[in-house]
Amino acid sequence: YGVCSLPMLKILCKNRSIFKYFRGVNSKKRILVAPLDWGLGHASRCVPIAKALEKEGYEVVFAASGRPLELLIQEFPKNDFIKLEGYNISYPKNGKMALSMLSQLFKIWKGIRQENKQLQQIIDDYNIDGVVSDNRYGLYSKKVPCVFVTHQLQIQSPVFFESLQKINFKYIQKFDECWVPDSDTHQLSGQLSIANNSSFKCQYIGALSRFEKLEKTEDIDVLAIVSGPEPQRSMFEELLKNQLIASKLKAVLVLGKTEENKKEEIGNLKVISHLNAKSLNQQMVNANVVISRSGYSTVMDIAKLNKKAIFIPTPGQTEQLYLAKYFNDKNRAFAMHQKELDIQYALKKVEHISSLKSDDYEVNWQDLLSLF
């Protein structure tokens, strides 16, 4: 009964009794893994967690929506999926992300309450034994052990910092544990992952990446990856496409559109709608330089493969702005604002910067997952 298509997924979501009937008897513990739907990063970093769970003998059920759901279906076609809507956030064109998020706090709070209510029913209907929530604040329960995955313990906000910090910690402490995807030296996340004065159990589990080091199969000057919410995603895509075509460099542009399967070549540039993990892994290995947003999941992937990076943070997204500046100041990557994007200039600057690397931090998954 593995779900392999969205039409079938919708049928199962509306007919939970059918799902329970076909499940039958299963002795494995079932863990629900649910990423936030803001971009693909939360879903992609859930991939190594899900694989670790399966390796330790657990059965993984995913809950997601939109492009994150499509990505996970592609990566785990034999697993079971529950469609769980996100917070339905709208994003500004002017880049004033912090103010926009503040204006939508009630909508977010309402979404958190709704998903918490849904979770209680999901646990009963699908016989869930534990929950791994990547930045979905409502997925906690007293019925089963629940883990919150985040690298952002210190909220980056230009206003109401202390109030938002208290709210952040208040929700995280409702979970049994908090897993931070970085080492305890905070090498990749900087001050974002410092758990000062926290009242919850915090475990640093090392950087998470679904990629592995491979041999090059071809030489590519630039791999550019487009990601994040609209409308900024499309604006970033257009800027990159125009400049890469003009550059005459051998380049690949990946659009992050999981719902499409399109490829086109425009002179020196190859444009691809979406690549699965294996193919994207190889393209990143092949590239001399990676241009991307400074989203944390992308940072971890680049660090895993020791690649040179040019970071273009999403306008107004404070966490990405912090990470871009953090690596630029430490001379571990080059960063510039989207409105100032100049690929030729950035490539000259990155020549004098070493590759981005992460700590070799080994996590004992057997001990970590014993919570369940």
Side-chain angles (χ1 to χ4, degrees):
Y1 68 92
V3 181
C4 58
S5 68
L6 288 178
M8 179 63 72
L9 176 65
K10 291 176 182 177
I11 292 171
L12 288 176
C13 288
K14 291 179 180 178
N15 297 276
R16 292 188 173 111
S17 60
I18 295 176
F19 182 93
K20 292 182 72 177
Y21 176 81
F22 280 104
R23 183 189 173 199
V25 178
N26 194 329
S27 60
K28 288 184 178 181
K29 285 189 174 182
R30 311 188 86 205
I31 308 301
L32 184 76
V33 175
L36 188 65
D37 65 337
W38 297 2
L40 295 176
H42 295 282
S44 68
R45 73 186 188 186
C46 281
V47 171
I49 293 177
K51 288 183 176 179
L53 281 162
E54 291 184 337
K55 186 176 181 181
E56 292 299 323
Y58 297 91
E59 181 182 352
V60 176
V61 178
F62 293 100
S65 63
R67 286 173 176 168
L69 174 62
E70 291 161 0
L71 182 148
L72 291 170
I73 289 175
Q74 290 175 18
E75 299 296 332
F76 296 91
K78 295 182 180 180
N79 289 55
D80 302 316
F81 295 85
I82 302 167
K83 189 173 184 181
L84 186 62
E85 295 293 348
Y87 303 150
N88 193 28
I89 298 300
S90 58
Y91 298 89
K93 290 184 179 181
N94 59 13
K96 295 181 179 179
M97 189 78 73
L99 292 177
S100 177
M101 291 298 104
L102 288 171
S103 70
Q104 298 179 80
L105 281 179
F106 179 75
K107 184 191 289 188
I108 296 172
W109 173 77
K110 187 177 179 181
I112 290 171
R113 290 193 64 185
Q114 178 65 23
E115 70 181 7
N116 182 257
K117 184 179 179 180
Q118 288 178 276
L119 176 65
Q120 312 314 314
Q121 193 66 47
I122 288 170
I123 289 172
D124 294 339
D125 288 348
Y126 301 105
N127 300 319
I128 299 300
D129 299 293
V131 178
V132 177
S133 166
D134 191 319
N135 274 85
R136 297 192 73 142
Y137 286 90
L139 298 188
Y140 58 87
S141 177
K142 294 182 179 179
K143 296 179 180 180
V144 298
C146 298
V147 170
F148 189 75
V149 180
T150 187
H151 64 280
Q152 197 170 5
L153 298 176
Q154 304 294 324
I155 299 293
Q156 298 298 298
S157 175
V159 293
F160 306 122
F161 172 81
E162 291 184 2
S163 297
L164 290 172
Q165 194 61 42
K166 288 179 181 179
I167 294 171
N168 190 33
F169 279 13
K170 179 182 178 181
Y171 274 106
I172 295 175
Q173 68 187 15
K174 295 177 183 290
F175 293 78
D176 295 277
E177 286 186 6
C178 177
W179 292 353
V180 179
D182 197 0
S183 67
D184 51 11
T185 63
H186 317 286
Q187 189 191 35
L188 291 182
S189 54
Q191 70 179 28
L192 294 179
S193 66
I194 297 175
N196 287 343
N197 303 316
S198 63
S199 58
F200 47 83
K201 185 177 181 181
C202 187
Q203 301 254 46
Y204 291 91
I205 64 172
L208 294 174
S209 175
R210 53 185 176 151
F211 295 159
E212 59 182 343
K213 294 179 180 178
L214 305 169
E215 295 294 325
K216 276 192 173 188
T217 56
E218 64 174 316
D219 196 57
I220 298 171
D221 295 316
V222 174
L223 169 67
I225 304 171
V226 182
S227 61
E230 297 290 2
Q232 293 294 341
R233 193 213 64 82
S234 291
M235 294 166 68
F236 188 37
E237 173 188 334
E238 194 66 21
L239 281 169
L240 286 171
K241 185 182 292 184
N242 291 338
Q243 291 199 24
L244 287 171
I245 292 171
S247 72
K248 305 301 181 182
L249 295 166
K250 185 176 182 181
V252 175
L253 176 60
V254 182
L255 304 181
K257 294 182 177 180
T258 55
E259 71 278 13
E260 294 183 4
N261 185 25
K262 297 180 181 178
K263 296 181 182 179
E264 64 173 327
E265 293 191 19
I266 311 171
N268 56 297
L269 176 64
K270 184 181 293 184
V271 182
I272 306 172
S273 296
H274 176 68
L275 290 174
N276 61 28
K278 184 178 179 181
S279 299
L280 185 57
N281 188 166
Q282 187 64 65
Q283 292 285 16
M284 194 173 286
V285 168
N286 291 343
N288 297 322
V289 177
V290 177
I291 301 176
S292 71
R293 297 298 196 194
S294 47
Y296 190 62
S297 297
T298 304
V299 167
M300 290 190 290
D301 288 338
I302 292 172
K304 174 68 177 288
L305 300 179
N306 301 341
K307 306 302 295 185
K308 288 192 174 187
I310 297 170
F311 289 133
I312 316 295
T314 301
Q317 194 161 325
T318 53
E319 171 217 354
Q320 289 193 18
L321 289 165
Y322 168 79
L323 287 170
K325 186 176 186 302
Y326 172 73
F327 291 115
N328 190 80
D329 289 351
K330 289 184 174 293
N331 208 38
R332 297 171 63 192
F334 180 72
M336 64 193 316
H337 293 292
Q338 181 171 294
K339 63 182 179 181
E340 301 167 348
L341 180 61
D342 184 332
I343 290 177
Q344 295 285 22
Y345 174 77
L347 289 171
K348 290 178 181 177
K349 298 293 289 185
V350 84
E351 288 178 2
H352 308 290
I353 296 174
S354 59
S355 301
L356 187 61
K357 297 180 181 180
S358 60
D359 288 336
D360 291 328
Y361 193 89
E362 291 294 329
V363 58
N364 188 324
W365 284 105
Q366 189 172 24
D367 287 348
L368 194 68
L369 300 178
S370 63
L371 171 71
F372 303 121

